[in-house]
Amino acid sequence: MIDPMLLETILMHYAAGHLRPSEALLVACHVALNPAARRRLEAYEAIGAKMICDCAEEDAAPVALDCFDKIMARIESPAPVAAPVAAAAPRAPMQRDAAIPPSVMALLCGNCTERSIRWQKLQSGVEAVSLHVPAGSPCRHRLRLLRLAPHQQTPAHRHGGREMTLVLQGGFSDHTGSYGAGDLVIAEGAAFVHAPRASAEGCLCLTLTEAPLRFVQTRIRFFNFFWRF
Amino acid sequence: MTMLCPAFAFCLPESLAFQPRARLKKHMAHTPTQEAARTAASVPPRHEDLLVQVGTRRDRAAFRTLFEYYAPRLKAYLIKNGAAESAAEEIVQNTFVTVWEKAAQYDPKKSAASTWIFTIARNRRIDALRREKYVEIDSDNPALHLAASDAPDDAYADAATVEKLHAAIETLPADQAALLRMAFFEDKTHQAIADETRIPLGTVKSRLRLALEKLRGGMALRKKTQGQAHD
């Protein structure tokens, strides 16, 4: 099912800090393109802030007496910056791709390890680029850029888990509706089968899947073995 | 008892107040640099003003006031979310070092001080506990700021409009508010919530859905499908 409440749930989980890096990147791209989503996310972040502020004084955990002094000492003599986070490895900046909106490109450059966008043809009219977002622990999400030629239809497929698709340029439609740039479409459930078709401008999107897609038509099921999407 | 308590606090009008005034006044007595910010009625400065002073004047007294208010609350939040005592202390330190470093970028028109500090704490928590970097929307990249400035008048999170949201939260029945807190801010699965609250799983899900729908309605957002997500 495509469930509009799922989108709210995802925005809230971003606000609370519960998303894995590739999911968080997808949501960040969504709000960068979509001011309405950005406002909703800010609202959820305000709820998180309120939860901290509402904490009654007797419930608050006192910090160590020297905590403030330690902070001021660090501010006054900054220690060499440690590199604890997975994304800290130096790398060449990712090569720009003109079709990708600048705000999304900036997020991809800042968070993915790829150095360039190298499109790979999956079938006629369908190209994809796998993106890797460093994570502190193993993560089964697959993040990809996907490009469909105008009017191109993908074969009917289902997913083992959740599929999130952010339209970057152009649009697509399936039996649930039509989607354009800035829309984040979340499909979930093994019973959900769709065959998206690109609009007349084609469709450039960022997709995140939790499990490989499975084609449902018998004659192309053998693709399931090697089109691990 | 829960630290972040009584999610039912959601439902109290008092919970609208971000600043504990008595506590702020205590610190203000020693901070002549902030005297100017006070009105004749000796209303304590808003946290937003304090944060701006930290950013523009490197005002340590203002910084300390913010620290004394937020640090124990943040620490309680972190411990409640699974951080050990020492890790929580470390994250609080990292958060305030970042607050100091980034205060110059803080824009009170775009966000309430509490929201801004919360997002920094959230990101530092993930750095520390998961050893991975959270994807931050407001990086220093001008391309992202462009997107943000598209709708400066519509910013939802500034201190004044945040109240609108809180009003929406306050209309939630206590049971829904409590479930929201557990599901979204304590990261509990629906099953874990069902086990803990002894509410059947189906009821947990339907109450969460109701709560979210009310919030959406309360945020004056048009009921719309994903396909029409643009304003």
Side-chain angles (χ1 to χ4, degrees):
Chain A
M1 276 298 293
I2 289 188
D3 179 352
M5 296 316 287
L6 272 175
L7 182 58
E8 298 305 304
T9 308
I10 293 285
L11 288 173
M12 248 192 184
H13 278 306
Y14 179 95
H18 295 150
L19 297 186
R20 297 309 310 276
S22 47
E23 294 174 297
L25 177 57
L26 189 84
V27 172
C29 292
H30 175 50
V31 302
L33 291 179
N34 190 324
R38 188 187 182 93
R39 281 197 300 282
R40 298 211 302 285
L41 174 62
E42 284 169 348
Y44 293 133
E45 286 175 339
I47 295 176
K50 188 163 168 355
M51 296 215 169
I52 290 175
C53 293
D54 282 348
C55 184
E57 295 217 3
E58 60 269 26
D59 286 334
V63 289
L65 289 174
D66 61 351
C67 185
F68 188 76
D69 295 335
K70 281 186 182 162
I71 290 166
M72 292 317 292
R74 280 176 58 186
I75 287 167
E76 277 154 15
S77 54
V81 180
V85 295
R91 57 177 191 269
M94 192 192 282
Q95 181 196 332
R96 306 263 150 182
D97 185 307
I100 299 173
S103 55
V104 170
M105 198 64 219
L107 282 162
L108 298 183
C109 288
N111 294 285
C112 298
T113 52
E114 280 69 28
R115 294 178 186 185
S116 60
I117 303 281
R118 275 192 221 142
W119 291 101
Q120 287 186 316
K121 189 171 165 185
L122 293 182
Q123 66 163 76
S124 172
V126 184
E127 293 169 294
V129 188
S130 281
L131 297 172
H132 178 251
V133 188
S137 57
C139 182
R140 61 205 172 100
H141 293 130
R142 299 171 65 86
L143 186 68
R144 291 200 187 186
L145 282 164
L146 184 67
R147 189 160 68 183
L148 300 179
H151 303 298
Q152 176 71 41
Q153 183 161 29
T154 66
H157 61 271
R158 66 163 58 97
H159 300 270
R162 182 179 287 174
E163 176 196 48
M164 299 204 275
T165 305
L166 172 65
V167 181
L168 303 178
Q169 199 185 55
F172 76 88
S173 55
D174 61 16
H175 66 283
T176 65
S178 296
Y179 307 96
D183 288 339
L184 177 59
V185 186
I186 306 173
E188 195 169 55
F192 182 81
V193 176
H194 69 158
R197 178 187 288 279
S199 70
E201 313 160 67
C203 181
L204 174 65
C205 56
L206 186 62
T207 68
L208 183 104
T209 45
E210 284 182 340
L213 107 188
R214 313 303 283 174
F215 296 115
V216 292
Q217 286 169 281
T218 317
R219 65 190 168 83
I220 57 165
R221 272 191 183 157
F222 67 92
F223 277 115
N224 286 337
F225 289 106
F226 56 92
W227 193 13
R228 308 278 297 173
F229 193 74
Chain B
M1 190 55 216
T2 55
M3 291 279 193
L4 284 181
C5 102
F8 320 108
F10 259 0
C11 308
L12 301 175
E14 288 85 343
S15 61
L16 273 178
F18 269 116
Q19 295 92 4
R21 310 212 155 193
R23 197 180 163 127
L24 272 176
K25 270 185 205 159
K26 187 175 70 188
H27 298 296
M28 292 308 302
H30 308 291
T31 54
T33 53
Q34 290 156 13
E35 286 293 325
R38 300 170 67 183
T39 65
S42 109
V43 174
R46 300 182 315 140
H47 286 186
E48 287 70 28
D49 299 331
L50 293 173
L51 203 45
V52 167
Q53 284 166 23
V54 173
T56 55
R57 295 210 304 256
R58 309 270 81 185
D59 185 332
R60 290 178 183 225
F63 185 58
R64 176 145 204 150
T65 305
L66 290 169
F67 171 84
E68 301 216 351
Y69 178 71
Y70 287 102
R73 287 169 170 78
L74 275 179
K75 191 171 167 187
Y77 167 80
L78 293 163
I79 289 172
K80 191 169 175 51
N81 278 280
E85 163 90 20
S86 57
E89 190 88 14
E90 178 81 22
I91 296 167
V92 168
Q93 282 187 28
N94 293 344
T95 300
F96 278 90
V97 170
T98 308
V99 167
W100 179 272
E101 287 167 352
K102 287 196 167 176
Q105 299 165 25
Y106 171 70
D107 180 352
K109 289 195 205 80
K110 286 189 189 153
S111 71
S114 58
T115 308
W116 194 78
I117 292 171
F118 166 77
T119 58
I120 288 177
R122 172 194 71 196
N123 297 344
R124 295 293 83 80
R125 170 177 171 262
I126 292 164
D127 292 350
L129 297 186
R130 287 208 218 131
R131 317 281 295 172
E132 68 192 24
K133 179 171 158 278
Y134 210 50
V135 177
E136 295 185 37
I137 292 163
D138 274 321
S139 77
D140 297 334
N141 194 305
L144 294 183
H145 288 297
L146 199 66
S149 62
D150 281 345
D153 298 333
D154 295 335
Y156 216 103
D158 70 85
T161 41
V162 151
E163 292 198 8
K164 217 192 270 179
L165 167 68
H166 291 173
I169 296 171
E170 281 157 18
T171 64
L172 291 178
D175 56 348
Q176 289 174 19
L179 292 181
L180 265 187
R181 175 173 54 79
M182 293 171 89
F184 298 109
F185 290 90
E186 296 172 19
D187 201 12
K188 290 193 170 132
T189 64
H190 294 173
Q191 187 61 56
I193 295 171
D195 294 345
E196 196 173 308
T197 57
R198 295 169 186 270
I199 297 171
L201 184 60
T203 314
V204 168
K205 287 184 175 172
S206 61
R207 283 188 192 167
L208 274 174
R209 173 171 295 272
L210 271 176
L212 273 174
E213 275 166 5
K214 277 189 195 158
L215 276 188
R216 271 167 72 95
M219 283 193 277
L221 297 166
R222 290 193 304 259
K223 292 265 179 190
K224 51 198 167 187
T225 64
Q226 291 175 340
Q228 303 160 325
H230 292 299
D231 267 2

